[in-house]
Every structure is written in C-alpha cells, then in structure tokens.
Amino acid sequence: MFYDLSRTLSPRTAVFPGDTPVSVTQNLLLQQGDACNLSSITMSVHAGTHVDAPRHNSDAGLGIDRVPLDALIGLARVVTIAVQDAITLAAVQSLDLTGVARLIVHTRGSDVPNDVFDHDLIYFTPEAAAWLGGQGLRLIGVDTPSVDPASSADLAAHLAFLRHDVLIVENLCLRGVPDGDYEIMALPLRIAESDGAPARVVLRTLAQD
Ligand SMILES: [Zn+2]
C-alpha cells in the first residue's frame, strides 16, 4: 500500500511570503479546436512538496540534478513529534533512531491546508538539527514549509543539516499516515544546477513477514 505525501500543486498553493506563486497557463485547448490540451507552469522550485538541494544554502553545494538518489529512496521512519513551536535537542534525543537513515517528522503542520501559509511553523533548533546530522541521517522530511522559523535570516537548521550531508524534504503532508517504518521514494525533478525542485514523495508499506 502507498501513501502519497505530496501536496497538490495549484494556483492556490501557499508559498513563502514574497515567493513566486504557482500559475498555470493553458496554451492549447481541445475545446477550442487545438490538437491537444497543453499547459505551462510558473512557480518557485520551493512551492509545495519539494527537495532542497545543498545549493539552496551554499554556492559550493550540489544542484538538485546531482543529489544522490540513494539518499532519496530506501527505508524511512515516520515519527510524530507533538510540539507547538520548536523541535528541540531533547525532543530528537528521545527518538529511537537505531538504524534509521531517513527520518520523516509528523507534526501539526500536516493539518495546515495547502492554501494557507503557517507563519508559526514548527522548526528545528540548530542543536537538534546538528544532533540528527551526527546520527548519520541521509534525509530529513518535514510537513512544514521550512526546517527553520519562517522569519529566520540565518537558516541555522538548514546549515546544520547541510554540514552533515542531510538532504531536506519540505512541505509533506502526513495526515492519516501511521508512525512506523516504510520505503520512501522522494524524487525531485532533474533541473540543472537548481537549488531545489518539486517532488512526488511516496511511502510504501513494508511487506509483512
Ligand atoms: Zn525549500
């Protein structure tokens, strides 16, 4: 069984204040006698569910076209963290991360509708991000638009994950997904040298033995 963690992209998709919204243009329409339906889109590469490339926070970092696929596909653990603002060092140290390379964090962010930007989004303290990186994580997934506070200027949690080579997936929706272990497939579009890209992110339940 599959869980689709991707938020639906549409012109109503909420983006960071000031960022480029999603717009869709119909260039050809069957109903108007054209040979097919054909549309184009304009959007921030960080709109909706997406993967941040290391290039997002460092000019020397890899673009999204070069991030390692083996970090984006494989076993993942979904955990619920019931905090109201910051995910602290104590909160992450209480998690069982034995053998976990990909961690998906379920917060109240999953209940925020696609067309609402949550200015009070749940974020990681830099200490929590650094500690998770030190555990050997390859991938962190969150159901919020950022791993840092919406008003952050230094993006300290992004940088802490970057220093530990942890890829960041943002704006997932985990509503209805039970905590536990899954196979994840998180595949960003292969956009040359991009600082990020929209992604379809899917969990597959593990075969019961
Ligand atoms: Zn991003």
Side-chain angles (χ1 to χ4, degrees):
M1 153 174 199
F2 291 97
Y3 289 101
D4 192 341
L5 309 188
S6 326
R7 287 183 179 269
T8 303
L9 286 171
S10 83
R12 292 180 303 282
T13 296
V15 296
F16 254 82
D19 203 357
T20 306
V22 178
S23 65
V24 181
T25 305
Q26 292 292 336
N27 299 316
L28 296 177
L29 278 171
L30 284 170
Q31 285 183 357
Q32 292 180 0
D34 294 322
C36 59
N37 291 319
L38 190 150
S39 52
S40 58
I41 57 173
T42 303
M43 60 184 282
S44 164
V45 295
H46 297 262
T49 303
H50 65 279
V51 180
D52 283 355
R55 176 72 50 86
H56 186 40
N57 301 101
S58 167
D59 285 337
L62 292 179
I64 201 69
D65 52 329
R66 295 176 59 206
V67 297
L69 289 176
D70 63 348
L72 297 164
I73 300 173
L75 286 177
R77 180 162 296 169
V78 175
V79 297
T80 295
I81 300 184
V83 295
Q84 286 308 308
D85 46 17
I87 298 174
T88 60
L89 181 61
V92 294
Q93 285 181 333
S94 71
L95 301 173
D96 174 13
L97 296 180
T98 311
V100 173
R102 300 167 197 84
L103 180 67
I104 310 300
V105 176
H106 187 173
T107 74
R108 63 170 169 76
S110 286
D111 297 323
V112 177
N114 287 350
D115 59 352
V116 173
F117 184 82
D118 181 12
H119 292 269
D120 298 316
L121 60 86
I122 289 172
Y123 57 94
F124 289 89
T125 65
E127 296 76 22
W131 186 85
L132 285 171
Q135 303 307 299
L137 277 193
R138 308 281 316 279
L139 185 79
I140 183 80
V142 294
D143 54 9
T144 60
S146 179
V147 294
D148 279 292
S151 60
S152 172
D154 62 2
L155 299 178
H158 276 86
L159 289 171
F161 284 125
L162 174 69
R163 270 194 299 276
H164 288 90
D165 291 326
V166 184
L167 286 176
I168 302 169
V169 186
E170 291 169 331
N171 252 337
L172 298 167
C173 183
L174 289 145
R175 215 176 318 163
V177 180
D179 284 6
D181 290 344
Y182 299 87
E183 180 186 8
I184 192 169
M185 288 151 273
L187 293 176
L189 295 181
R190 196 174 188 178
I191 304 171
E193 299 176 21
S194 180
D195 50 273
R200 192 71 179 254
V201 181
V202 173
L203 295 178
R204 179 156 58 187
T205 52
L206 301 178
Q208 304 295 328
D209 47 347

